Amino acid sequence: MSFVISWLSVALFNVSMLSGLIVAFVYKPHIAYQSVQTLTYLVPYGDVFRQLHYFSSEAFLVVVLLHVILEIIKIKIKIDEKSWNYSVLSLLILFFLMFTGYVLKADLSGISAAEVSLSLLKQTPLLDMFLPLFEDNSMFIWKFYLWHILFLPILLTYAIYVHVKTLKTKYFIIGIGVTILCMVVFTMPKDIPLDTVLTHVTGPWFFLGAENLLMLGISPIVVNTVIAVPFLLLTLYFYFQNYRVILNYLLLIWLGFYAYFSFI
């Protein structure tokens, strides 16, 4: 089971990257929202390729999370230290990649999510040093664009390669099939024009807990700590395998906590 899940994740990664490359030919950061609407409604099959990219990326994230769950419930981790650490790193990079992609929609929800994330960086010691990497009114979308199409994909590709030792897969067609199934079953969120007046705007589903905690007045330092907890616990799994039951309970408690604040 774990073997199939791991190779399916590689297949979905390839589908996401290839469809993203096609989308990138139409996307223009200086007129981001307009170019997304052009891709969706005017470019032949543009909406299809956009959905392929969206759902393959979402499915990739879900399958990777399932792969992580299957690994941590094993009696013993069978991969080496380097491979395990790169697997945790790839998961962290993947979340950043998904988040920057959400921002690049440049609609009301994307821009709002970006502003919340920048506020988290700005108000948290040590993390505020990374603010110049994203914050610049004149190059706002451009910076997220470069991270999304260049830096993060390169880092993720390398991290995955170190973990699985190859990026080739014979399950590519299955990856496309899973993506198309998601396109049939689920609906991609609609873009919200920037001039829309809403009392509450949400970001990507995995960012809802952080947004709601901030709305409740929780300190950005605490919110960033909450976000970091699962990655810290996953890193510890390799070094404290004799205490994996305790780590599992801690992860379960964190998951319940974050899920609760995601849907309140």
Side-chain angles (χ1 to χ4, degrees):
M1 181 65 175
S2 182
F3 173 81
V4 174
I5 291 295
S6 62
W7 284 108
L8 177 59
S9 66
V10 174
L12 289 167
F13 169 74
N14 283 314
V15 175
S16 176
M17 288 297 168
L18 289 175
S19 57
L21 183 63
I22 296 172
V23 169
F25 280 111
V26 180
Y27 188 85
K28 298 178 176 60
H30 61 288
I31 49 170
Y33 181 77
Q34 292 89 330
S35 68
V36 169
Q37 300 313 300
T38 298
L39 171 68
T40 305
Y41 298 108
L42 299 179
V43 175
Y45 304 106
D47 184 48
V48 174
F49 284 110
R50 186 184 174 195
Q51 289 195 58
L52 276 173
H53 184 56
Y54 174 81
F55 283 111
S56 61
S57 301
E58 292 286 339
F60 176 47
L61 176 58
V62 171
V63 171
V64 167
L65 291 173
L66 180 58
H67 177 55
V68 170
I69 292 172
L70 291 175
E71 286 296 320
I72 65 177
I73 63 177
K74 287 181 178 179
I75 297 176
K76 182 177 176 59
I77 297 174
K78 297 181 179 180
I79 59 178
D80 58 48
E81 178 183 357
K82 181 179 179 181
S83 183
W84 177 262
N85 287 334
Y86 269 96
S87 68
V88 177
L89 177 63
S90 64
L91 181 61
L92 178 62
I93 296 172
L94 177 56
F95 274 108
F96 277 115
L97 190 59
M98 296 284 290
F99 185 83
T100 54
Y102 191 89
V103 171
L104 289 181
K105 296 192 306 173
D107 69 339
L108 186 62
S109 59
I111 298 300
S112 174
E115 291 174 346
V116 171
S117 65
L118 292 177
S119 177
L120 280 173
L121 290 178
K122 186 181 298 183
Q123 299 181 55
T124 305
L126 297 181
L127 291 182
D128 56 358
M129 70 176 67
F130 297 104
L131 201 58
L133 297 176
F134 298 96
E135 188 181 48
D136 185 339
N137 291 334
S138 62
M139 298 287 288
F140 182 73
I141 292 295
W142 270 102
K143 288 194 172 184
F144 278 90
Y145 178 70
L146 289 175
W147 277 102
H148 187 74
I149 71 159
L150 184 61
F151 304 130
L152 291 175
I154 290 174
L155 291 172
L156 181 60
T157 300
Y158 178 72
I160 292 176
Y161 180 79
V162 172
H163 178 59
V164 300
K165 305 302 187 291
T166 181
L167 294 175
K168 296 180 180 179
T169 175
K170 57 184 177 182
Y171 298 110
F172 184 76
I173 297 300
I174 298 178
I176 293 179
V178 169
T179 303
I180 293 175
L181 179 62
C182 291
M183 292 168 61
V184 173
V185 175
F186 303 104
T187 302
M188 187 172 69
K190 296 293 185 181
D191 301 321
I192 306 173
L194 291 172
D195 57 358
T196 304
V197 178
L198 295 173
T199 56
H200 181 57
V201 181
T202 60
W205 59 269
F206 52 83
F207 197 54
L208 293 178
E211 289 180 329
N212 288 337
L213 285 170
L214 287 171
M215 289 180 61
L216 291 171
I218 304 300
S219 165
I221 298 176
V222 174
V223 174
N224 276 319
T225 302
V226 170
I227 294 173
V229 164
F231 301 101
L232 175 61
L233 292 176
L234 287 173
T235 302
L236 294 176
Y237 263 89
F238 188 89
Y239 305 99
F240 298 94
Q241 295 191 42
N242 293 333
Y243 301 94
R244 60 191 305 112
V245 173
I246 296 176
L247 293 173
N248 282 340
Y249 275 116
L250 289 174
L251 262 180
L252 190 60
I253 292 170
W254 177 90
L255 182 60
F257 173 85
Y258 196 81
Y260 172 78
F261 283 101
S262 294
F263 299 106
I264 60 172

